[in-house]
Structures are given as structure tokens and as C-alpha cells.
Amino acid sequence: MFRFDFIVESYSRFYSLIKMTFIVFLFALFIGNLMHIIEPDNFPSIFDGIWWSVVTISTVGYGDFVPESIFGRILGIILILGGIALFSFFITNLASSTVLAKQEKDAGGAKVKEKGHYIIVGWNERSHQLIKELMNLYSNIHIVLIDETLEKKPIDTKALSFVKGSPTKDETYERANIKKAHTIIITSNQHVDEKTSDANTVLTLLTSKGMQSNIYAIVELISPQQAKNAERAGADEVILSSKHLSLLMVNGVLFHGMTDVIAEMLKHGKDDQLQFKIVPPELINETFQKAITDYQTSDMFLIGIRRGSDTLLHPKNGSQLLSGDKLIFFKRVSS
């Protein structure tokens, strides 16, 4: 219903603007043609009459054409009184339509037209930080936030669009232009119980994958019970927030201050960061030691292998590299 009302209202305003433009144009055309007939010497062509009419209506008044006869001046008075009022009404409607269009866009009612954008489902502090990090990393990124609880766009920036609607409905993803999106990140709702939250997350994933099966999907789950279902539903990456936070806390317990070390390793931009690089053809069937010799530098420290869904950290030097493997680097990015 929300979508239908939005289409009807948008079409109605657009139709009204077209109608007003046509009326102003016809009025200027009629007065300009009549002025050419009344004073052919001062207005040699119909275009001269129309030019004078438009300039007069818009209150610019260049003074290059001036009526001299009584009938011409009476026509000028009619044009000034009627035309300016008509033109002012047109400008007011145009400005009002522009403001309303922006308000609707900020309220999540507009359809996204961008391509290659990132979709984030759910507004919370995690998605807030994610949006800030992505905008810091990529200057030309565009992010679409889907949420059904917000009343307006939470961050006033051109890099972010807001779509208000349920993440389990097709029309929400149609407005988010998911068929042209690059990646979708589905965050968990931590205001309900874990079981309900994870079930809703999997349902959201099924809906989005049903709309665009090829989109890369990163899904946050609170507990591991729904992890298999998320993978069956098409999740490319599953983040178990409770498990990861617990592991982080354990490291803090075992080695005080280790959580700060891990946080530094995960930073992006000007700081060190973890990266994947696909094993080049010349290293396939070679050893991990060969990769260290050929590719490790003072700024690129090789720490392991990513093989499918398995991660091999600090493998033996004689470990064989296979086709499809990814090398895990810890890279220092110069400031």
C-alpha cells in the first residue's frame, strides 16, 4: 500500500508540473502571437513576441521590445498581472515538488537508481560503524540502508540512500534496486530473542537471494544453530557475532591487551590490514615456502592460506599450494 500510494502521489505531482508548464507555454505563445499581430513593426516576428512575453512573465524585463500602442500596453498589463501570477504559481509548485521529493527520499519512499551499490539491512550501531568505515575506504561508494523502524535517513550524506520497508518483502528490494547491487550485509536484530532474530535473518536472506541469486551475501547470526540454514539459503559469509566476541574476550583473558592487538590488525585505510590474494598460476603445486620467498616483502607478510572454507594459519613451509587457494597477507599500508 505504501508503495502504491507513493507511485500515485509521484505521478500526480509530475502530471501537475507538466500541465502547469504547458499552460504557461500556451499563455506566452498566445500573448506573443497577439502582440506580433497588434504591433508588427515593434515585434517583427512571432518569436520576438514570444520572447517578450516570456521575459515579461519571468520578471526579467530586458527592455529590448516595448509595446507602444494602447492595445499593446493593455495587453502588456494583462500579461504582467495574469502572467506573473501564473508563473509564480508554477515556480512555487516546482519548488514544493522538489522539497517533497527530497522528503520522500529521506523518508525511504524513493526507488534507488544507483548500480554496484552495497545494501545493509537493519539500522543499529554495527551498521552505523560499517557505513562510516566503508565511506572512509571508498570515496565513490553508494550504500543503501533497509530498515522498517526508522522514520527518516539516519545520516545526511549523498553516499547513503534509505529504503523504508520490511526486509522480507520483494517490493522493498525492488526499491533498493537489488538486481544491480554489489553486496548485501544482513545484520541481526538484537532487540528480540536469539532464536527469533536468527530465523528472521535467514528469512531475510532467502528473500534477498530470491530477488538476486548472484548477489554476495554477508549474514550476521547471534548463535550457530541457524548457520547451516543460512549457508543453504545462499549466505557467502556467516558472521557468528556471539562466537567471535567470545573468542575475543577469551584472548583478552589469556593475554591482557590482546583485544587491542586484534583490533589493530583489523583496521583499514592507513593502518595495517589483512588481505587475500589468489595464488598465481606459477605457484600452483609449489610450496608455501616458495610463496614466502617470491612474494613476501617487508610490507607484505604472508601468514597463511585460505582454501575453500578452511583457513590454514602459519602452515608448514612444505605445504602444497592448490588451484583456487588464496594467500593471506598482513599488509602495512603507508600513510
Side-chain angles (χ1 to χ4, degrees), residues 69-108:
S69 66
I70 294 177
F71 288 112
R73 291 179 178 178
I74 292 174
L75 193 61
I77 293 173
I78 294 173
L79 179 66
I80 292 172
L81 295 179
I84 292 178
L86 189 64
F87 188 75
S88 299
F89 182 71
F90 167 74
I91 294 298
T92 301
N93 272 268
L94 181 61
S96 175
S97 178
T98 302
V99 171
L100 287 173
K102 185 180 184 306
Q103 288 177 345
E104 282 176 346
K105 187 175 181 180
D106 290 343

Side-chain angles (χ1 to χ4, degrees), residues 241-256:
S241 56
S242 297
K243 178 182 177 181
H244 294 162
L245 283 173
S246 297
L247 290 173
L248 191 63
M249 290 177 183
V250 168
N251 276 276
V253 171
L254 295 176
F255 305 99
H256 296 177

